[in-house]
Amino acid sequence: TQLLEQSPQFLSIQEGENLTVYCNSSSVFSSLQWYRQEPGEGPVLLVTVVTGGEVKKLKRLTFQFGDARKDSSLHITAAQPGDTGLYLCAGVGTTDSWGKLQFGAGTQVVVTP
Amino acid sequence: KAGVTQTPRYLIKTRGQQVTLSCSPISGHRSVSWYQQTPGQGLQFLFEYFSETQRNKGNFPGRFSGRQFSNSRSEMNVSTLELGDSALYLCASSLAGGGSYNEQFFGPGTRLTVL
């Protein structure tokens, strides 16, 4: 089993501040995906990163895949209350990967006005 | 394009009963994966179906089973329910279910409570 560790577990910030969420593993992944989940709903896909060192930007969100494809980060600039949610990273393994995502435990982000 | 739909949204059962959950994938998607989400364990992979065949399975007991129909709709069944089966059950669909771009799109989930 390839484990993904997310940190921090919980993050509470004021509107306008920046934040970074980390997703680390000792294993190599084919790709990593980031999702945001709101209470009572399923996770919503934000981005997929595939190439080591890849950086993707989605408005105020910046995603980075580590050079060795073992870790990833999500940075939010000037956070807004609408960014509140559970952020999950999920890896596609290099083996035994049919239809299977390995999820981190998640980071609960709360942005207060 | 309609998203992934799951029915029912909420279920309350008692220990020992069985339950069947349904998932309709995004049109054109042939892979359906199922996950169990609990506060303690997070999202855990149950199994994946593609073209009516189970291709992958997680570490869950045999009480958890599933199937997929020719229209790609999928069902999962849990027999002899236990209190610990209380969870949010999520299904996700993808085009082919494999490879680096295994982008999965999730439904809203079925909240199962076992009393």
Side-chain angles (χ1 to χ4, degrees):
Chain A
T1 303
Q2 297 168 286
L3 296 176
L4 279 168
E5 294 184 0
Q6 279 189 245
S7 61
Q9 287 184 298
F10 182 80
L11 206 49
S12 180
I13 60 172
Q14 299 272 57
E15 182 177 2
E17 293 181 335
N18 301 333
L19 68 97
T20 302
V21 177
Y22 299 94
C23 178
N24 296 296
S25 175
S26 58
S27 303
V28 175
F29 287 93
S30 296
S31 64
L32 268 171
Q33 299 171 18
W34 284 92
Y35 291 83
R36 181 171 66 215
Q37 185 178 23
E38 300 190 19
E41 299 296 327
V44 175
L45 179 64
L46 297 173
V47 78
T48 300
V49 285
V50 178
T51 306
E54 182 176 7
V55 177
K56 280 193 174 178
K57 293 191 176 183
L58 186 66
K59 296 183 181 178
R60 294 174 295 98
L61 278 61
T62 302
F63 305 86
Q64 186 162 5
F65 201 13
D67 290 341
R69 291 187 289 132
K70 293 182 179 181
D71 53 83
S72 181
S73 63
L74 155 63
H75 182 78
I76 301 179
T77 303
Q80 299 176 357
D83 296 324
T84 293
L86 179 67
Y87 287 83
L88 296 156
C89 66
V92 176
T94 54
T95 60
D96 185 33
S97 63
W98 288 116
K100 178 180 178 179
L101 291 175
Q102 183 71 42
F103 279 87
T107 296
Q108 181 65 51
V109 172
V110 176
V111 183
T112 53
Chain B
K1 194 181 254 191
V4 178
T5 58
Q6 290 187 247
T7 56
R9 290 293 309 275
Y10 303 93
L11 264 179
I12 299 176
K13 293 286 187 179
T14 56
R15 277 181 299 174
Q17 287 187 309
Q18 75 166 20
V19 67
T20 299
L21 313 181
S22 181
C23 172
S24 292
I26 292 170
S27 178
H29 285 192
R30 296 171 65 190
S31 168
V32 174
S33 299
W34 288 89
Y35 295 84
Q36 180 195 67
Q37 186 175 28
T38 59
Q41 298 296 318
L43 272 135
Q44 302 276 309
F45 173 75
L46 281 157
F47 31 65
E48 185 256 6
Y49 286 86
F50 179 85
S51 291
E52 303 178 65
T53 300
Q54 185 183 89
R55 289 194 303 188
N56 205 350
K57 189 177 189 308
N59 296 324
F60 279 82
R63 299 185 297 107
F64 292 82
S65 63
R67 59 178 176 168
Q68 187 180 36
F69 302 94
S70 58
N71 61 359
S72 293
R73 190 176 70 84
S74 177
E75 289 181 346
M76 70 162 280
N77 183 276
V78 188
S79 63
T80 319
L81 284 165
E82 300 177 0
L83 295 178
D85 297 333
S86 294
L88 181 66
Y89 289 88
L90 294 159
C91 85
S93 77
S94 67
L95 279 171
S100 299
Y101 282 98
N102 176 20
E103 294 185 329
Q104 296 188 5
F105 298 88
F106 284 81
T110 294
R111 170 72 62 186
L112 172 64
T113 302
V114 182
L115 302 175

